[in-house]
Amino acid sequence: MTTAPVAEVLAGKHQAGTTIQIQGWVRTKRDSKAGLSFIAVHDGSCFDPIQVVALNTLDNYNDILRLTTGCSVKASGMLKQSEGKGQSLEIEANSIEILGWVENPDSYPMAAKRHSIEYLREHAHLRPRTNIIGAVTRVRNCLSQAVHRFFHEQGYCWISTPILTASDTEGAGEMFRVSTLDMNNIPRDDKGDVDYSQDFFGKETFLTVSGQLNVETYCTAMSKVYTFGPTFRAENSNTSRHLAEFWMIEPEVAFADLATIAQLSEDLLKYIFKAVLAERADDMAFFEQRVNKDVVKRMQAVVDNDFVRMDYTDAIDILIKSGKKFEFPVEWGIDLSSEHERYLAEEHVGAPIIMQNYPKDIKAFYMRLNDDNKTVAAMDVLAPGIGEIIGGSQREERLDVFDARLKEMNLDAQDYAWYRDLRRYGTVPHAGFGLGFERIVAYVTGVANVRDVIPFPRTPGNANY
Amino acid sequence: MTTAPVAEVLAGKHQAGTTIQIQGWVRTKRDSKAGLSFIAVHDGSCFDPIQVVALNTLDNYNDILRLTTGCSVKASGMLKQSEGKGQSLEIEANSIEILGWVENPDSYPMAAKRHSIEYLREHAHLRPRTNIIGAVTRVRNCLSQAVHRFFHEQGYCWISTPILTASDTEGAGEMFRVSTLDMNNIPRDDKGDVDYSQDFFGKETFLTVSGQLNVETYCTAMSKVYTFGPTFRAENSNTSRHLAEFWMIEPEVAFADLATIAQLSEDLLKYIFKAVLAERADDMAFFEQRVNKDVVKRMQAVVDNDFVRMDYTDAIDILIKSGKKFEFPVEWGIDLSSEHERYLAEEHVGAPIIMQNYPKDIKAFYMRLNDDNKTVAAMDVLAPGIGEIIGGSQREERLDVFDARLKEMNLDAQDYAWYRDLRRYGTVPHAGFGLGFERIVAYVTGVANVRDVIPFPRTPGNANY
């Protein structure tokens, strides 16, 4: 007898008439007066549970009558076409072994009823058992597999940039400190300052906020690289878009300019969205029906349409000429806010925009200066329905221009010694971008808060589990 | 004109006679008296560089004569069969654009000569430009892609378990603290203790040492899951096998016992080794020739041979009967040390061993108690040439047995409330294992120290870059 995942059975990979075994958890059960029970069993392999039909001739039918949502079972029997509506195949059980009961079914936190998304978040260890978090988990997995596949097929190397860093290059403002010093007995140096030379790494050490600077070292040797790992921000932001711990994808490409990575960002998004549409139709149908009716449509629109390239300077003109009243007034030099980005992507263009060439004063020190001396080769991808989902730039590869920029920004070249080495030895034009993985999962699923698309969200005041 | 990666050109994907462009860095250059130069250019896409032939009729031939190792170039010309020995195809350049010079070639840290592996480690930002670290990077990438592919093909979901955790369940002995408290002004509570309620997460928070307990929550909903992420140990271990930050792979399978995951561990290792043998023959030939002559042979042996299942109790008998003098004396109840493991795998069996059913007193609280009440359903995979590379177990899914075990070990059930919930609600037999990714990369490449198979190693006293 074959034991098979529910997904495989429902996909018709086993013929009706064969005997098959499935294992999973009871989602719902309905007892008929005719002396049989219909048990919906899910095992996480797909959205739909499979229906197991139990006749009262089963030895343990009295136990089966006591089954409730969440109980674990192993059921075997004949696979047959279902007569029920909306069911394709069902199992007529000749044996149902009960593996685990639910203690006090009435107080089971995941009992079969509608729970608020906030309630589920409070039970993060049990919420994967629900329809919505199960679906999020499969879609998240589908997206992550597609990301790796996309880069691998194109000859990129995955690089694990460090999580812990004593490097000062990103600025320590919003970083978490990592230490093994005894907090009740902090060592001090002669001046009375904390003596980090006695800490584990011999220096003050933090959690990374981005792998970009590190991955540039591999880009300028392997040509095409990407990171996919956790990053951290100690921002006290209690919004639906911020997490203290989140996963980021950062490709970095040598011999590339802004146009190269603009195309790469478009290709990547189309590739991973296509994967979800092709592989997770079941989960997407649920999100479309229950969470946001536009999720499939807007993802299909991203796949079908060319992204529009637009210069920042042109965007400012469009916003001014729009005659719209914005909360934040528009003039050249401002950082575009969410209302501006959404007006451009949703109302003006109606498609994703790759916004390019931002004023240098609102962008980071490592971005490549354009010939106008006013803008840098930076880009953001703005998607209808969410706003910015990707940010990137060509990097300043010219040592003299880079050093001048550091000086202008009052940064000390000494702190960037290893980063400068990449420009001293065989420098090449290169460019890359960053994509916050949870924002993509939220966009795809329509789930409003990024806390619900990562297994155990870390936010101010919460690192439970 | 097509621009192509060197790997693609050397693999014969472009016909001799076509005009092609490549981009990369000079590995070596040789000037012939006949008025031409042979430049070996690599771009990280494969082990071998491609030979670019530059005639002195090129406009910038004087500059070309000045090229040194590490300079970056863009070269185009006709692709032709090479007359040189060991070269398949070469490019007869009609243009070589020099993108970046090397400042002071004599002091270039990666100049073309043999460097010690320790020296390279001191220059972690430049070492990917070397043959050895380039090869390690491609093999590491190949292994990680194969890991994701293996699990995806079998219907596993990748789960990103949290990096930051306020959970006490693993014990804080060797953990890094993560905090945003001002180290010069640590808040105290009424009793004079550190007041972590004022810290970012409102509790004392650490870096994870394993995703296992967290991933069990997803296993008992999705059935087949795995983690692949960074983990941390604040151990003061300066050995060739330890890192403070390393990547771990942890599958967890529901409705599974020890035999299931023993087979899974064998299948996984065979699958990822086959991928390396199939995809990275170039890099493996280098490791075989320069690093360890056994690397290919022993990997092939793992692929070709069945792993031997052996009970811990039988292993103790074998060790005692061997008559060998071991540094650590052998008796039932000891934790096997490296000398024991290597004797068993290398001398006694000559193949990987899956050692099973260890004494409960040397194993963790969550491992499933066997019927003998003395051993637990734990397993280690011991590989010839390295020793333990995988450790796993069936988990205790019976609440009453689990609670008794906690009591026996003086652990407080309250601290395990969410973990116990998995046993209170629809508990299922489940099992999993952990595999330290760097140890696998070291085993595959033959590189002796794990510090050289991760881009930026973190060890006591070192979190540079």
Side-chain angles (χ1 to χ4, degrees):
Chain A
M1 183 175 53
T2 310
T3 301
V6 171
E8 206 178 286
V9 179
L10 290 181
K13 299 211 173 146
H14 302 272
Q15 281 204 305
T18 56
T19 300
I20 202 145
Q21 176 169 280
I22 57 101
Q23 305 168 115
W25 293 267
V26 174
R27 176 138 280 153
T28 55
K29 181 174 65 80
R30 183 167 58 83
D31 302 316
S32 143
K33 284 172 191 159
L36 69 171
S37 298
F38 302 96
I39 312 164
V41 179
H42 70 99
D43 67 358
S45 61
C46 59
F47 185 83
D48 285 321
I50 190 162
Q51 177 156 285
V52 175
V53 182
L55 298 172
N56 61 7
T57 51
L58 288 173
D59 286 350
N60 60 344
Y61 191 69
N62 279 337
D63 281 344
I64 288 166
L65 286 173
R66 288 170 49 225
L67 282 175
T68 55
T69 298
C71 291
S72 48
V73 296
K74 188 184 280 195
S76 59
M78 199 182 51
L79 189 62
K80 46 179 272 189
Q81 296 296 330
S82 176
E83 289 160 24
K85 219 174 117 187
Q87 293 284 335
S88 50
L89 290 158
E90 63 184 24
I91 293 174
E92 195 176 281
N94 52 35
S95 158
I96 298 177
E97 185 187 340
I98 297 158
L99 300 174
W101 292 100
V102 164
E103 209 180 278
N104 305 323
D106 293 339
S107 64
Y108 177 44
M110 297 293 120
K113 59 179 177 187
R114 281 266 193 150
H115 302 288
S116 75
I117 196 91
E118 292 79 14
Y119 171 88
L120 295 182
R121 210 179 289 151
E122 296 296 312
H123 297 82
H125 63 306
L126 299 173
R127 67 176 180 167
R129 302 170 178 213
T130 60
N131 275 330
I132 186 165
I133 302 299
V136 164
T137 303
R138 283 183 297 273
V139 168
R140 184 180 167 99
N141 174 62
C142 175
L143 284 164
S144 83
Q145 301 288 349
V147 166
H148 285 299
R149 221 160 48 226
F150 172 82
F151 286 117
H152 188 51
E153 286 171 3
Q154 299 202 22
Y156 283 71
C157 271
W158 172 70
I159 305 295
S160 48
T161 46
I163 311 302
L164 303 175
T165 178
S167 187
D168 293 328
T169 40
E170 282 274 358
E174 293 167 343
M175 292 170 89
F176 288 101
R177 181 186 298 102
V178 174
S179 172
T180 56
L181 291 179
D182 179 356
M183 296 288 269
N184 283 307
N185 191 12
I186 291 178
R188 303 273 167 185
D189 63 16
D190 296 348
K191 294 184 201 153
D193 293 333
V194 179
D195 184 5
Y196 287 110
S197 74
Q198 295 187 43
D199 207 345
F200 190 90
F201 295 110
K203 267 188 186 178
E204 195 174 9
T205 303
F206 301 94
L207 291 176
T208 184
V209 298
S210 157
Q212 180 207 314
L213 303 187
N214 290 97
V215 91
E216 283 186 49
T217 66
Y218 273 72
C219 176
T220 52
M222 314 300 295
S223 297
K224 298 202 279 187
V225 294
Y226 72 107
T227 72
F228 189 170
T231 47
F232 304 85
R233 301 280 159 88
E235 280 177 66
N236 199 3
S237 301
N238 269 302
T239 83
S240 64
R241 284 170 61 84
H242 290 87
L243 291 165
E245 171 184 324
F246 59 100
W247 286 67
M248 188 128 82
I249 296 151
E250 297 176 290
E252 189 77 27
V253 197
F255 314 103
D257 58 13
L258 198 62
T260 314
I261 58 150
Q263 190 60 48
L264 184 70
S265 69
E266 180 171 350
D267 293 345
L268 172 64
L269 288 176
K270 287 183 171 174
Y271 185 98
I272 64 178
F273 286 4
K274 274 185 201 166
V276 172
L277 292 169
E279 297 168 31
R280 297 268 44 108
D282 58 344
D283 296 316
M284 290 311 302
F286 168 80
F287 291 123
E288 189 175 38
Q289 197 185 337
R290 292 292 188 86
V291 177
N292 180 332
K293 65 175 173 38
D294 292 331
V295 280
V296 173
K297 204 173 62 183
R298 74 183 180 190
M299 196 156 46
Q300 193 67 54
V302 169
V303 168
D304 292 340
N305 291 296
D306 289 339
F307 291 18
V308 172
R309 273 70 173 165
M310 185 185 285
D311 254 39
Y312 168 90
T313 300
D314 296 332
I316 293 294
D317 279 351
I318 291 166
L319 290 169
I320 289 172
K321 287 186 184 144
S322 74
K324 275 202 68 129
K325 276 246 180 294
F326 294 108
E327 191 187 344
F328 297 96
V330 178
E331 60 172 335
W332 199 95
I334 63 159
D335 209 353
L336 296 180
S337 65
S338 182
E339 54 172 344
H340 306 136
E341 293 176 348
R342 297 189 66 157
Y343 169 78
L344 291 164
E346 290 163 29
E347 296 185 47
H348 186 76
V349 172
I353 298 176
I354 302 181
M355 186 76 69
Q356 304 180 121
N357 300 314
Y358 285 81
K360 68 173 178 175
D361 292 339
I362 58 169
K363 290 291 181 181
F365 67 90
Y366 50 72
M367 297 190 179
R368 192 177 197 275
L369 191 63
N370 287 326
D371 290 344
D372 62 12
N373 269 318
K374 283 165 52 188
T375 61
V376 287
M379 67 149 207
D380 282 350
V381 179
L382 316 176
I386 189 169
E388 188 208 318
I389 47 172
I390 283 179
S393 70
Q394 186 170 348
R395 320 306 186 185
E396 185 56 75
E397 91 281 12
R398 298 161 298 184
L399 186 62
D400 54 339
V401 183
F402 182 72
D403 283 347
R405 190 82 203 282
L406 285 182
K407 208 163 178 180
E408 194 178 286
M409 295 176 84
N410 285 315
L411 296 169
D412 186 351
Q414 292 248 309
D415 292 340
Y416 300 85
W418 62 264
Y419 193 70
R420 289 179 72 253
D421 276 358
L422 306 180
R423 280 82 184 152
R424 292 170 66 205
Y425 305 126
T427 192
V428 294
H430 61 289
F433 61 78
L435 176 159
F437 188 53
E438 281 71 24
R439 290 192 183 174
I440 289 290
V441 183
Y443 183 72
V444 167
T445 58
V447 169
N449 195 317
V450 288
R451 299 176 194 201
D452 303 315
V453 299
I454 189 167
F456 297 95
R458 271 68 183 102
T459 50
N462 179 31
N464 294 333
Y465 303 99
Chain B
M1 186 175 54
T2 309
T3 301
V6 171
E8 204 178 287
V9 179
L10 291 181
K13 298 210 174 145
H14 301 271
Q15 282 205 305
T18 55
T19 300
I20 202 144
Q21 175 168 281
I22 57 99
Q23 306 168 115
W25 293 266
V26 175
R27 175 137 281 152
T28 54
K29 182 176 65 82
R30 183 168 57 83
D31 302 316
S32 145
K33 284 174 191 158
L36 70 170
S37 299
F38 302 96
I39 312 164
V41 179
H42 70 98
D43 67 358
S45 62
C46 59
F47 186 83
D48 286 320
I50 190 161
Q51 177 158 286
V52 175
V53 182
L55 297 171
N56 62 6
T57 50
L58 288 173
D59 286 350
N60 59 343
Y61 190 69
N62 279 336
D63 282 344
I64 287 167
L65 286 173
R66 288 171 49 226
L67 283 175
T68 56
T69 298
C71 290
S72 49
V73 295
K74 187 184 281 194
S76 59
M78 200 182 50
L79 188 63
K80 46 179 271 187
Q81 296 296 329
S82 176
E83 290 159 22
K85 220 174 117 186
Q87 292 286 336
S88 51
L89 288 159
E90 63 184 25
I91 292 173
E92 195 176 281
N94 52 35
S95 157
I96 298 178
E97 184 187 340
I98 297 158
L99 300 173
W101 292 99
V102 163
E103 209 180 280
N104 305 323
D106 293 339
S107 63
Y108 177 45
M110 296 294 121
K113 58 179 177 188
R114 281 263 194 150
H115 302 288
S116 76
I117 196 91
E118 292 79 14
Y119 172 87
L120 294 183
R121 210 180 289 151
E122 297 295 313
H123 297 82
H125 63 307
L126 298 174
R127 67 177 180 167
R129 301 170 178 212
T130 62
N131 275 332
I132 187 167
I133 302 298
V136 164
T137 303
R138 282 182 299 272
V139 168
R140 184 180 168 99
N141 175 62
C142 175
L143 284 164
S144 83
Q145 301 288 348
V147 166
H148 285 299
R149 221 158 49 225
F150 173 82
F151 286 117
H152 188 51
E153 285 172 3
Q154 299 203 22
Y156 283 71
C157 270
W158 171 70
I159 305 296
S160 48
T161 46
I163 310 303
L164 304 174
T165 178
S167 187
D168 293 327
T169 41
E170 283 275 356
E174 293 167 344
M175 293 170 89
F176 289 101
R177 181 185 299 102
V178 174
S179 172
T180 56
L181 291 179
D182 179 355
M183 296 287 269
N184 283 307
N185 190 13
I186 292 178
R188 304 273 167 186
D189 62 17
D190 296 348
K191 295 183 201 154
D193 294 333
V194 178
D195 183 6
Y196 287 110
S197 75
Q198 295 187 42
D199 206 345
F200 189 90
F201 295 110
K203 268 189 186 177
E204 195 175 9
T205 304
F206 301 94
L207 291 177
T208 184
V209 297
S210 157
Q212 180 208 314
L213 302 188
N214 291 97
V215 91
E216 283 187 47
T217 66
Y218 272 73
C219 175
T220 52
M222 313 302 295
S223 296
K224 299 202 278 188
V225 295
Y226 73 107
T227 72
F228 189 170
T231 47
F232 304 85
R233 301 280 158 87
E235 279 177 67
N236 199 3
S237 301
N238 269 301
T239 83
S240 63
R241 283 170 61 83
H242 290 88
L243 290 165
E245 172 183 325
F246 60 100
W247 286 67
M248 188 127 84
I249 296 150
E250 296 176 291
E252 190 77 27
V253 197
F255 314 104
D257 59 13
L258 199 61
T260 313
I261 58 150
Q263 190 60 49
L264 184 71
S265 69
E266 181 171 349
D267 293 345
L268 172 64
L269 289 176
K270 287 183 171 173
Y271 184 98
I272 64 178
F273 287 4
K274 274 185 201 165
V276 172
L277 291 168
E279 297 168 29
R280 296 267 45 108
D282 57 344
D283 296 315
M284 289 312 301
F286 168 81
F287 291 122
E288 188 174 40
Q289 196 186 336
R290 294 291 189 86
V291 177
N292 179 330
K293 65 176 174 38
D294 292 330
V295 281
V296 173
K297 204 173 61 184
R298 73 183 181 190
M299 198 156 45
Q300 192 67 53
V302 169
V303 169
D304 292 341
N305 291 295
D306 289 339
F307 291 17
V308 172
R309 272 72 173 164
M310 184 184 286
D311 253 38
Y312 168 91
T313 301
D314 296 333
I316 293 293
D317 280 350
I318 291 166
L319 289 169
I320 289 171
K321 288 185 184 145
S322 73
K324 275 203 66 129
K325 276 245 182 292
F326 293 108
E327 190 187 344
F328 297 97
V330 177
E331 61 172 336
W332 198 95
I334 63 158
D335 209 354
L336 297 180
S337 66
S338 181
E339 54 172 346
H340 306 137
E341 294 176 347
R342 296 189 65 157
Y343 169 78
L344 292 164
E346 289 163 29
E347 296 185 47
H348 186 76
V349 172
I353 297 176
I354 302 181
M355 185 76 70
Q356 303 179 123
N357 300 315
Y358 286 82
K360 68 173 178 175
D361 293 339
I362 59 170
K363 290 290 182 182
F365 68 89
Y366 50 73
M367 297 188 178
R368 192 178 195 276
L369 192 63
N370 288 326
D371 290 345
D372 62 13
N373 268 320
K374 283 166 53 189
T375 60
V376 287
M379 66 151 208
D380 282 350
V381 178
L382 315 176
I386 187 168
E388 188 210 317
I389 46 170
I390 283 180
S393 71
Q394 187 170 348
R395 321 305 186 186
E396 186 55 76
E397 91 281 14
R398 298 162 298 184
L399 187 63
D400 53 340
V401 183
F402 182 71
D403 282 348
R405 190 83 203 281
L406 286 182
K407 208 165 180 179
E408 194 177 287
M409 296 177 82
N410 286 315
L411 296 169
D412 186 350
Q414 291 248 309
D415 292 339
Y416 299 85
W418 61 264
Y419 193 70
R420 289 178 74 254
D421 276 359
L422 307 180
R423 280 82 185 152
R424 294 168 66 204
Y425 306 126
T427 191
V428 295
H430 62 291
F433 61 78
L435 176 159
F437 187 54
E438 281 70 25
R439 290 193 182 171
I440 290 290
V441 183
Y443 182 73
V444 167
T445 58
V447 169
N449 195 317
V450 288
R451 298 177 195 202
D452 303 315
V453 299
I454 190 168
F456 297 94
R458 271 70 184 100
T459 51
N462 179 32
N464 294 333
Y465 302 100

